[in-house]
Amino acid sequence: MSARRLRITVKGAVQGVGFRPFVYRAARELELTGRVRNEGGTVLIEAQGERVDELPQRIRTGHPPHARVDAMDCAAVEPVTEAAFEIVGSAPGAPAPGVVPDLVTCGDCLREVIDASSRFYRYPFTNCTQCGPRYSIIERVPYDRANTTMANFEMCGVCRADYENPDDRRFHAQPTACPACGPQLSLLDARGRAVTTDDAIRSAAAALDAGEVVALKGLGGFQLMVDAANADAIARLRERKHRSDKPLAVMVSDVELAGHVAVISKEEAQLLRSAAGPVVLLESRGELPDEIAPRLGTLGVMLPTTPLHHLLLREVERPVVCTSGNRSDEPICTDNADALERLGEIADQFLLHDRPIRRAVDDSVARVIDGAPQVLRLARGFAPLILPLGRDTHAMATGPHLKNSLALCGDGRAVVGRHVGDLENTLAVDAMHQAAADLRDFFDVRPGRVACDLHPDYASSHFAHEQERPVTTVQHHLAHALACMLEHDLQGPVLAVVWDGTGLGTDGTIWGGEFLHVERGGGIRWRRAAHMKAFRLPGGDAGARDARRSLSGLLWEVESLRGDVLPAHRRQLEKRINTPLCTSAGRLFDGVAALLGLCGRQTYEGQAASRLEAAVEPGCEDAYALPVADGVADWTSMLGSMLRDKADGVPPGTIAAKFHHALADAIVEVASDMGESTVVLTGGCFQNRYLCERATNKLRAAGFTPVVPRRLPPNDGGVAPGQLIAALEGVGHVSCRTGDD
Ligand code: ZN
Ligand code: ZN
Ligand code: FE
């Protein structure tokens, strides 16, 4: 009998997802001997037997759903004498082949949690190899129980037996726990005193029922909940959280109930049910109070993420508002004591447990656009995101100022970290430092160089310069374009339409309505092919917080319309006091929203633009003219037309539609002029579903291939990997048109 022996190395996301048990079972079925272990960035398998050649194929096609195989090598080696196939423990200190994101409760675990005969009945911390906490509880790699925040919970005999049984769903599931041995719930009031109850979940549900605010310790951090049908309770939460208008997400117990409050396509249902469990942006049915997402027509909906959420939602029997447990603009709370202190003024009750969260991972946000999912906030369930990269250089990119996240690379892959948030306070900056340290340790990256934004004053740029490594500064909109090119493995040349609120341009003005020609391969070559006509924004950064400032800036550019500029802004514009030039498409949206009376002061980023999008009248096919000549998309005649339409009593919805159509037409016009077949659409403005889908449809109809970010957010949360690419590949030729002042 000739037994062949193979040495198989597997690279990818292979820890914490039942990968080794899977290999073990496959080997046993094929009657092989040998072993499987984690070793230095890979999983190493040695297998021997007559059917050993079938194993690689099994690994490729049959691996667990949350694992990912990036590369596999097979080599024949000398057979040895051995009796069985075994799993060998992780070698200490070996770098992880990939840290796996947190996963929402799987169907098998949920069935046990609601089965009165199961030992996991009503146990809120039930999990298995296919679900449960991962990234949020890891202290250090490799991913073994002793290296997680479960280290202090000693497994009972029954759990231990499951953990050691290769045929059990909990075989080597590191956070395995049951009521006898695992974390326990507690319910406290706003002052941190224990609430006397024999069922913390039922009591918390009763509090929600009574209109109270409940802070719940979720998978990656605290969440604040109120009854989604109770407008007073929602108003109370908003007031206490100082969050006046920004949309709140709702959690519903299942997809069927979600269908009562929102319109859901097949793709959207899949996204809702996915193991990442993001908040999914859906079209609202108007069943819930408008206070949840004022004047937007959309609803962010998520399903329960843990058994605790499932049990609570089943008790409440209706949707609950579920939003990040933080004070406005601060990072999300993860620690019990910290939550009691920071959220004590907001929540009436705290539903806590004693399994520590090692790192904050916010709820992710995603949606279906142009027929496929797109991540808008890369956090719980998606982070850390791994993208293959054809080089081994170690580097780090510190990301943007708003919606910060970092990216690192080494050993043939780029890793994008979790959403950190706006770097507007020291807590957020600390969170960025922590996120960087985590990624460096988990992925064993020793950055030899660092990339950051061109803007020297961002906290993320300061952080880059503190590293005492060579720093590459990268223009913001180029980074947006390169990130999308990396994700889709595009070398270019492409036309990248990058529209957002703000980013420092290479000419010192504020950019944001950019058409870039970008090419990779032997260094990055790019040029600013066209841009929105520049205008002066009274108040600079403050201009972004009040849509009327943008409107004044736009009107000021047209001699005959200057009379309409608000007096407060007129003086500023006349004397050019803090009125930087910008080509921002985001501010153009703001100005048009203000013109239509849809928004003045903005209480959250994108508010004016979101309302303008929501105002679009369906069925209208007219468009304004937005001519592009000599590389400038000149909106001045369009502005005049809009004012005339408004004066003639044309409904705002029609004006909004014609405006969106003009922008999409301008994209096709520039694409036709340039002649590159691939057109990248990215930047925060393309979170506008109407604009994005209109543009992709028009581009396709004209024979172009539109590309949008999918696994990376189109907003600033996705720019760090683009900075990384610029640092790795080198930015060659830069030529740009300056602003037309
Ligand atoms: Zn499970
Ligand atoms: Zn147990
Ligand atoms: Fe941006």
Side-chain angles (χ1 to χ4, degrees), residues 18 58 98 123 167 178 214 251 304 315 356-357 362 399 469 576 587 595 599 606 615 648 657-658 665 728 730 734 739:
R58 289 247 184 150
Y123 183 57
D167 292 318
C178 79
V214 172
M251 185 177 275
E315 212 65 58
I357 298 173
D362 281 90
R469 296 273 185 284
R576 294 201 176 170
R587 297 295 86 80
L595 186 150
C599 192
D648 291 347
K658 288 166 75 177
D665 291 348
L728 291 179
V734 182

Side-chain angles (χ1 to χ4, degrees), residues 104-110 126-132 169-170:
V104 300
T105 306
C106 73
D108 289 334
C109 285
L110 179 59
T126 305
N127 67 82
C128 72
T129 50
Q130 299 306 303
C131 75
R169 257 177 40 240
R170 298 193 171 85

Side-chain angles (χ1 to χ4, degrees), residues 352-553:
L352 304 176
H353 60 75
D354 54 357
R355 182 182 70 206
I357 298 173
R358 177 60 181 79
R359 71 188 47 74
V361 197
D362 281 90
D363 291 321
S364 286
V365 181
R367 63 167 174 187
V368 170
I369 186 154
D370 196 25
Q374 178 182 56
V375 171
L376 297 176
R377 187 205 272 163
L378 187 96
R380 181 182 49 71
F382 293 121
L385 173 70
I386 296 170
L387 298 169
L389 185 70
R391 38 200 317 154
D392 291 331
T393 316
H394 286 216
M396 172 169 80
T398 58
H401 180 67
L402 296 176
K403 297 188 167 66
N404 180 271
S405 74
L406 301 112
L408 275 81
C409 64
D411 304 322
R413 64 193 170 184
V415 183
V416 188
R418 63 190 188 271
H419 165 86
V420 170
D422 301 348
L423 303 177
E424 302 266 287
N425 54 59
T426 52
L427 281 178
V429 173
D430 290 348
M432 171 181 67
H433 293 163
Q434 189 56 52
D438 272 356
L439 289 176
R440 275 193 304 247
D441 291 350
F442 287 161
F443 295 93
D444 198 31
V445 172
R446 303 279 161 260
R449 61 181 82 178
V450 185
C452 69
D453 195 275
L454 191 59
H455 200 302
D457 298 332
Y458 291 169
S460 50
S461 302
H462 290 169
F463 181 48
H465 289 284
E466 286 159 13
Q467 303 300 307
E468 296 178 349
R469 296 273 185 284
V471 175
T472 306
T473 57
V474 187
Q475 201 281 322
H476 182 83
H477 303 95
L478 174 64
H480 267 297
L482 290 172
C484 187
M485 291 173 78
L486 166 68
E487 184 195 329
H488 292 280
D489 196 21
L490 298 172
Q491 292 296 318
V494 302
L495 166 62
V497 183
V498 189
W499 289 357
D500 64 3
T502 181
L504 181 61
T506 54
D507 59 358
T509 69
I510 298 168
W511 291 7
E514 310 309 311
F515 298 86
L516 308 178
H517 185 270
V518 188
E519 200 173 351
R520 292 168 64 199
I524 292 152
R525 292 167 305 287
W526 71 294
R527 65 189 167 86
R528 192 186 193 195
H531 57 82
M532 289 291 174
K533 179 179 166 60
F535 64 98
R536 293 198 170 271
L537 181 63
D541 285 344
R545 292 191 288 273
D546 190 336
R548 289 165 301 195
R549 290 178 184 270
S550 294
L551 177 58
S552 292

Side-chain angles (χ1 to χ4, degrees), residues 85-411:
F85 195 93
E86 57 181 0
I87 294 178
V88 183
S90 306
V99 175
V100 174
D102 301 298
L103 304 167
V104 300
T105 306
C106 73
D108 289 334
C109 285
L110 179 59
R111 269 186 287 282
E112 286 175 323
V113 169
I114 57 177
D115 172 4
S117 70
S118 165
R119 71 188 184 96
F120 296 101
Y121 182 55
R122 288 185 70 80
Y123 183 57
F125 309 101
T126 305
N127 67 82
C128 72
T129 50
Q130 299 306 303
C131 75
R134 300 284 185 276
Y135 188 45
S136 62
I137 60 165
I138 300 176
E139 300 270 11
R140 67 195 81 82
V141 293
Y143 178 63
D144 281 328
R145 188 179 180 99
N147 293 337
T148 71
T149 63
M150 285 297 293
N152 292 331
F153 296 93
E154 182 151 0
M155 271 188 242
C156 68
V158 190
C159 284
R160 169 67 57 188
D162 286 353
Y163 181 87
E164 288 172 356
N165 175 5
D167 292 318
D168 194 274
R169 257 177 40 240
R170 298 193 171 85
F171 182 50
H172 282 222
Q174 306 304 340
T176 292
C178 79
C181 66
Q184 300 297 328
L185 272 187
S186 54
L187 188 68
L188 305 184
D189 69 14
R191 293 169 63 187
R193 294 171 304 202
V195 174
T196 318
T197 171
D198 49 10
D199 191 320
I201 294 173
R202 287 206 176 101
S203 296
L208 288 171
D209 218 38
E212 293 190 2
V213 179
V214 172
L216 173 145
K217 189 177 187 178
L219 200 50
F222 274 80
Q223 292 160 324
L224 292 163
M225 294 182 159
V226 289
D227 179 356
N230 185 334
D232 290 340
I234 297 165
R236 205 151 39 237
L237 172 64
R238 284 197 176 280
E239 197 188 307
R240 293 181 189 172
K241 214 185 162 195
H242 303 294
R243 178 166 165 148
S244 54
D245 302 294
K246 196 173 175 183
L248 301 164
V250 297
M251 185 177 275
V252 296
S253 54
D254 52 42
V255 172
E256 201 199 324
L257 187 56
H260 294 311
V261 296
V263 183
I264 305 175
S265 69
K266 203 177 86 207
E267 291 80 12
E268 286 164 338
Q270 264 172 12
L271 190 55
L272 273 170
R273 286 199 195 96
S274 65
V279 174
V280 180
L281 294 190
L282 300 168
E283 184 192 332
S284 171
R285 289 196 189 274
E287 294 291 319
L288 294 173
D290 192 54
E291 283 83 351
I292 292 172
R295 298 171 65 182
L296 293 184
T298 56
L299 201 58
V301 178
M302 69 199 296
L303 299 185
T305 42
T306 68
L308 177 58
H309 293 94
H310 277 288
L311 292 167
L312 183 63
L313 267 285
R314 273 160 194 262
E315 212 65 58
V316 179
E317 293 185 308
R318 57 179 179 273
V320 294
V321 165
C322 179
T323 186
S324 300
N326 56 358
R327 290 192 298 220
S328 66
D329 300 331
E330 287 182 1
I332 187 170
C333 296
T334 52
D335 176 75
N336 290 356
D338 180 46
L340 282 164
E341 180 171 333
R342 281 163 65 202
L343 305 179
E345 311 264 281
I346 301 175
D348 300 299
Q349 299 217 345
F350 288 80
L351 192 51
L352 304 176
H353 60 75
D354 54 357
R355 182 182 70 206
I357 298 173
R358 177 60 181 79
R359 71 188 47 74
V361 197
D362 281 90
D363 291 321
S364 286
V365 181
R367 63 167 174 187
V368 170
I369 186 154
D370 196 25
Q374 178 182 56
V375 171
L376 297 176
R377 187 205 272 163
L378 187 96
R380 181 182 49 71
F382 293 121
L385 173 70
I386 296 170
L387 298 169
L389 185 70
R391 38 200 317 154
D392 291 331
T393 316
H394 286 216
M396 172 169 80
T398 58
H401 180 67
L402 296 176
K403 297 188 167 66
N404 180 271
S405 74
L406 301 112
L408 275 81
C409 64
D411 304 322

Side-chain angles (χ1 to χ4, degrees), residues 514-720:
E514 310 309 311
F515 298 86
L516 308 178
H517 185 270
V518 188
E519 200 173 351
R520 292 168 64 199
I524 292 152
R525 292 167 305 287
W526 71 294
R527 65 189 167 86
R528 192 186 193 195
H531 57 82
M532 289 291 174
K533 179 179 166 60
F535 64 98
R536 293 198 170 271
L537 181 63
D541 285 344
R545 292 191 288 273
D546 190 336
R548 289 165 301 195
R549 290 178 184 270
S550 294
L551 177 58
S552 292
L554 295 172
L555 294 167
W556 188 255
E557 288 304 310
V558 188
E559 201 68 52
S560 58
L561 301 177
R562 286 192 174 181
D564 293 340
V565 173
L566 286 176
H569 304 151
R570 166 187 292 274
R571 266 181 52 82
Q572 250 181 311
L573 286 159
E574 269 168 356
K575 302 200 164 167
R576 294 201 176 170
I577 307 162
N578 190 18
T579 51
L581 268 182
C582 76
T583 58
S584 166
R587 297 295 86 80
L588 181 61
F589 269 90
D590 291 355
V592 173
L595 186 150
L596 297 180
L598 297 170
C599 192
R601 248 188 72 73
Q602 304 198 66
T603 62
Y604 63 92
E605 197 198 1
Q607 182 176 12
S610 303
R611 285 191 177 171
L612 187 60
E613 180 190 359
V616 170
E617 177 192 275
C620 166
E621 276 302 315
D622 294 346
Y624 293 115
L626 174 53
V628 187
D630 297 327
V632 176
D634 188 344
W635 39 261
T636 49
S637 67
M638 175 168 72
L639 185 66
S641 306
M642 283 191 276
L643 285 163
R644 269 192 302 282
D645 274 356
K646 192 186 168 201
D648 291 347
V650 175
T654 309
I655 299 176
K658 288 166 75 177
F659 169 70
H660 279 80
H661 299 166
L663 295 174
D665 291 348
I667 289 171
V668 177
E669 189 185 333
V670 175
S672 304
D673 280 355
M674 191 173 288
E676 301 300 354
S677 61
T678 306
V679 181
V680 167
L681 303 174
T682 187
C685 291
F686 289 101
Q687 292 176 108
N688 182 318
R689 169 191 298 276
Y690 192 81
L691 172 69
C692 189
E693 291 185 341
R694 179 89 183 182
T696 50
N697 289 337
K698 288 270 172 185
L699 283 167
R700 248 180 237 118
F704 296 98
T705 307
V707 177
V708 300
R710 295 286 179 191
R711 301 172 69 197
L712 289 170
N715 58 49
D716 285 4
V719 307

